[in-house]
Amino acid sequence: MWQGSGLGAGAAVLLLLSVALLLPHLHLEGPEEGPPGSSMADTGTLSQLREDFRMQNKSVFILGASGETGQVLLREILKENLFSKVTLIGRRKIEFEEEAYKHVHQEVVDFEKLDEYSSAFQGHDVGFCCLGTTRSKAGADGFVRVDRDYVLKSAELAKAGGCKHFNLLSSKGADKSSSFLYLQVKGEVEAKVEEFNFDRYTIFRPAVLLCNRKESRPTEWLARKFLSSLPTSWSKDHSVPITTVVRAMLNNLVMPSDKKMELLDNQTIHNLGKAEDVDKP
């Protein structure tokens, strides 16, 4: 839980001004209208839904499992034992020491030559894409290459390989017509992935992700500090813990849906990520 920084008045003003300049890049605008979520009353308890899902013996792949969201997603998938087979697709093998990870399958690929690794994307029922970098880390061209080109090619191969449900981690404010590169690319990717016509396509649009990120991202750190000083009701509209995002992903996964495309905004992610609390005695 992020705590207030306790800054003095002068420092607080400087912090506020700095974040105000960065807000467009951090997609902190007002709430978006999301699709009506499935109510627990209509779909049954989450525990039963999870059990029903397990019985289907489905397989899953995760792109970006070395990132903050991907790490938590993998951990929770294994904890819940939702899939009969879990595959990580990435540019390098991840070393795990914990016993829980011993059956995780890994496919090492060259994202510059993904067509040569199409077999890595075959035979998966569900896919989660958490790939992403930043412009400050990779440069504008590098950011576009990872967040657009790699994601789109992976989605194309996943579709060809038989994936039925594709889950995309996007961003609040994603808009292909945006004047900001980050939001423009995110919006473009959302639209192009929809053209692959997956049986079920879910887009998650979280706001600023709250986590203790190992990788240094000063802009996100500044935003988190700013948000932590605000009332909970306001900061909730513009931020979300990664654990909540992952719970929303998995809760949505096990809930039956007849929609081809689902768009979950930040508020919906908060609500769905906490739905399991209702299911507890």
Side-chain angles (χ1 to χ4, degrees):
M1 184 70 180
W2 291 94
Q3 303 296 325
S5 59
L7 296 176
V13 170
L14 290 175
L15 178 60
L16 182 57
L17 288 174
S18 299
V19 174
L21 292 174
L22 296 169
L23 288 181
H25 304 282
L26 294 167
H27 40 85
L28 301 180
E29 59 279 299
E32 304 170 9
E33 182 179 353
S38 300
S39 68
M40 297 306 297
D42 293 335
T43 59
T45 64
L46 275 172
S47 58
Q48 184 59 53
L49 288 171
R50 291 190 187 105
E51 185 58 32
D52 292 343
F53 189 88
R54 291 187 193 101
M55 295 295 291
Q56 299 176 53
N57 292 317
K58 292 187 176 184
S59 61
V60 64
F61 72 82
I62 301 175
L63 288 160
S66 62
E68 300 295 337
T69 304
Q71 290 179 42
V72 178
L73 176 62
L74 173 60
R75 185 184 70 214
E76 291 301 309
I77 282 177
L78 295 177
K79 177 183 176 182
E80 296 291 342
N81 194 29
L82 291 172
F83 295 93
S84 60
K85 182 179 180 181
V86 178
T87 300
L88 310 184
I89 302 176
R91 60 185 178 85
R92 61 180 176 81
K93 184 176 181 180
I94 304 175
E95 298 298 331
F96 298 111
E97 297 180 357
E98 295 88 344
E99 184 72 11
Y101 295 86
K102 68 178 182 179
H103 295 304
V104 173
H105 183 67
Q106 299 197 51
E107 293 281 358
V108 178
V109 303
D110 182 347
F111 282 99
E112 294 293 328
K113 305 174 182 178
L114 270 184
D115 278 321
E116 299 179 10
Y117 299 88
S118 59
S119 61
F121 294 87
Q122 293 178 358
H124 307 292
D125 301 294
V126 179
F128 285 96
C129 182
C130 303
L131 277 180
T133 186
T134 62
R135 185 171 180 172
S136 60
K137 180 180 179 182
D141 292 341
F143 163 71
V144 172
R145 198 156 191 80
V146 173
D147 284 56
R148 185 192 67 191
D149 299 347
Y150 291 178
V151 171
L152 290 179
K153 191 60 182 179
S154 295
E156 177 187 341
L157 293 175
K159 172 62 178 180
C163 179
K164 304 298 184 184
H165 185 187
F166 190 81
N167 297 268
L168 177 66
L169 181 63
S170 185
S171 167
K172 181 174 182 177
D175 183 352
K176 61 183 179 180
S177 63
S178 174
S179 58
F180 295 102
L181 180 64
Y182 182 85
L183 300 180
Q184 180 188 67
V185 167
K186 294 297 185 182
E188 181 182 348
V189 168
E190 289 182 358
K192 287 187 176 298
V193 170
E194 186 175 7
E195 294 176 4
F196 292 129
N197 197 31
F198 286 96
D199 289 359
R200 185 178 179 186
Y201 171 40
T202 308
I203 301 169
F204 296 88
R205 284 186 178 177
V208 174
L209 296 173
L210 301 181
C211 68
N212 292 313
R213 192 184 292 275
K214 296 177 182 178
E215 175 187 357
S216 177
R217 293 189 181 180
T219 300
E220 290 186 3
W221 177 88
L222 186 62
R224 292 186 196 110
K225 287 298 183 183
F226 171 62
L227 290 167
S228 68
S229 68
L230 299 173
T232 302
S233 59
W234 197 94
S235 62
K236 183 178 178 181
D237 288 336
H238 304 292
S239 64
V240 59
I242 280 181
T243 53
T244 301
V245 176
V246 168
R247 290 191 191 108
M249 285 178 161
L250 298 184
N251 286 345
N252 183 72
L253 171 72
V254 302
M255 290 180 177
S257 174
D258 56 2
K259 295 181 179 179
K260 291 279 290 184
M261 198 276 278
E262 304 164 309
L263 178 59
L264 279 63
D265 64 12
N266 198 59
Q267 184 59 58
T268 304
I269 290 171
H270 268 286
N271 295 339
L272 193 53
K274 293 181 178 179
E276 62 181 351
D277 293 335
V278 178
D279 195 43
K280 295 177 181 179

